[in-house]
Amino acid sequence: MSGTLNNASLKTGRSFDLGKMNLRQLWIAYLTYPTILLYFALVVVSVAAAAHFFAGWGATLVSIVAVILVYPLAWYLLHRYVLHGRLLYKMKWTSALWKRIHFDHHQDPHLLDVLFGSPATTLPTIAIITLPIGYLIGGWGAAATAFGTGVTITCIYEFFHCIQHLNYKPRAPWIQRMKARHVLHHFHDEDGNFGITSFLVDRIFGSYYRDAKARPRSPTVFNLGYDVKEANTYPWVMDLTGSPPRDRPDGARAPAGKTPDSARHAA
Ligand SMILES: [Zn+2]
Ligand SMILES: [Zn+2]
Ligand SMILES: [Zn+2]
């Protein structure tokens, strides 16, 4: 029955598959997902800490605005230079991390389990970015505000990121544009459009592109450069996957009569 999620047809393996879900099902999956519930709980704790060590309204507001401004830049730099850097899979001790936090998402962009960041990596990252900003602005109270703001923005990013991989066309034109740019990052050329909700930083750094005509298609768009040749030199990610890296996600090899993934997204 639609509306409930007790439905194996919404899943691929153990994970919800956004290619098979509608917006209502996504909302239910999102609002009951353990990682998201953990984030909500941490926002509540941050608000309580910000009230307890209250830094004054001025410092509180300034720390919120500072995090809103810094966050897209921090995410951009991490996404472009760390997640799409070619370093993490070349070292055994970081290969599992890289596989979990980005390779698996590009191999199959619809799987909810690997679309959401893992809290073990997102939360320390959010803390390292936000706590010093808040603390310098107004001590521990403002640091709690900054951290809570960072976690809130992460929840918003994760939701829009789900929407970008959900098999539907958003009604609002600005969400359609946002979705189209991210779909290009996944299905046309991964070396651009690194933003999630805003592509302002991409425009500033020259990595923004509007449509598929702007660039040739990248042969490494699904494997991020970790192809079979690289996997033979640096086997750890392949060992963890249990199979060689793929040049297309499963959904893209749809049987005849079904729309390939990239075509579904091109609309
Ligand atoms: Zn994505
Ligand atoms: Zn998709
Ligand atoms: Zn990416």
Side-chain angles (χ1 to χ4, degrees):
M1 182 189 137
S2 72
T4 73
L5 297 182
N6 298 324
N7 190 340
S9 69
L10 298 180
K11 295 199 172 189
T12 292
R14 291 190 320 257
S15 176
F16 283 118
D17 186 332
L18 291 167
K20 300 174 180 173
M21 297 169 82
N22 61 37
L23 187 58
R24 188 187 147 77
Q25 289 162 334
L26 169 62
W27 268 114
I28 297 170
Y30 178 84
L31 292 173
T32 57
Y33 205 86
T35 303
I36 300 299
L37 296 178
L38 173 65
Y39 291 161
F40 288 169
L42 285 171
V43 171
V44 172
V45 170
S46 301
V47 171
H52 187 78
F53 303 101
F54 190 53
W57 286 110
T60 301
L61 286 174
V62 169
S63 60
I64 291 172
V65 171
V67 171
I68 291 172
L69 293 177
V70 166
Y71 218 75
L73 177 65
W75 165 250
Y76 177 91
L77 295 174
L78 284 170
H79 188 193
R80 180 169 183 180
Y81 295 107
V82 179
L83 302 182
H84 283 266
R86 301 266 172 106
L87 192 60
L88 293 182
Y89 69 74
K90 292 181 178 169
M91 299 183 289
K92 187 178 185 197
W93 66 282
T94 52
S95 56
L97 177 80
W98 181 71
K99 169 177 150 53
R100 167 61 185 89
I101 61 181
H102 218 54
F103 177 69
D104 283 350
H105 177 53
H106 273 269
Q107 285 276 282
D108 201 336
H110 293 157
L111 297 186
L112 201 57
D113 276 4
V114 288
L115 181 148
F116 286 143
S118 142
T121 49
T122 56
L123 290 173
T125 309
I126 295 167
I128 288 166
I129 295 167
T130 60
L131 291 178
I133 294 174
Y135 188 82
L136 289 174
I137 291 169
W140 286 112
T145 299
F147 181 75
T149 305
V151 176
T152 303
I153 298 172
T154 303
C155 291
I156 296 168
Y157 275 18
E158 294 289 37
F159 185 76
F160 277 103
H161 193 193
C162 287
I163 293 257
Q164 289 165 340
H165 292 292
L166 190 69
N167 186 19
Y168 93 122
K169 186 171 181 174
R171 239 174 294 169
W174 65 276
I175 304 180
Q176 284 175 21
R177 279 195 299 275
M178 180 200 290
K179 180 171 170 142
R181 301 302 176 265
H182 187 69
V183 165
L184 289 167
H185 173 74
H186 275 282
F187 294 94
H188 191 68
D189 181 3
E190 79 281 17
D191 192 27
N193 293 353
F194 294 98
I196 294 287
T197 57
S198 160
F199 296 92
L200 181 65
V201 185
D202 281 284
R203 288 174 190 268
I204 293 167
F205 281 74
S207 56
Y208 177 81
Y209 66 105
R210 183 179 296 273
D211 53 34
K213 278 172 282 176
R215 295 173 172 206
R217 190 176 178 284
S218 161
T220 55
V221 69
F222 293 111
N223 63 31
L224 309 187
Y226 187 73
D227 55 16
V228 175
K229 188 166 165 287
E230 285 286 89
N232 284 326
T233 313
Y234 311 101
W236 306 293
V237 169
M238 178 169 67
D239 291 347
L240 287 166
T241 310
S243 56
R246 295 177 296 186
D247 293 335
R248 309 280 307 165
D250 264 351
R253 283 179 309 217
K258 284 202 175 173
T259 319
D261 194 81
S262 50
R264 272 204 324 242
H265 284 280

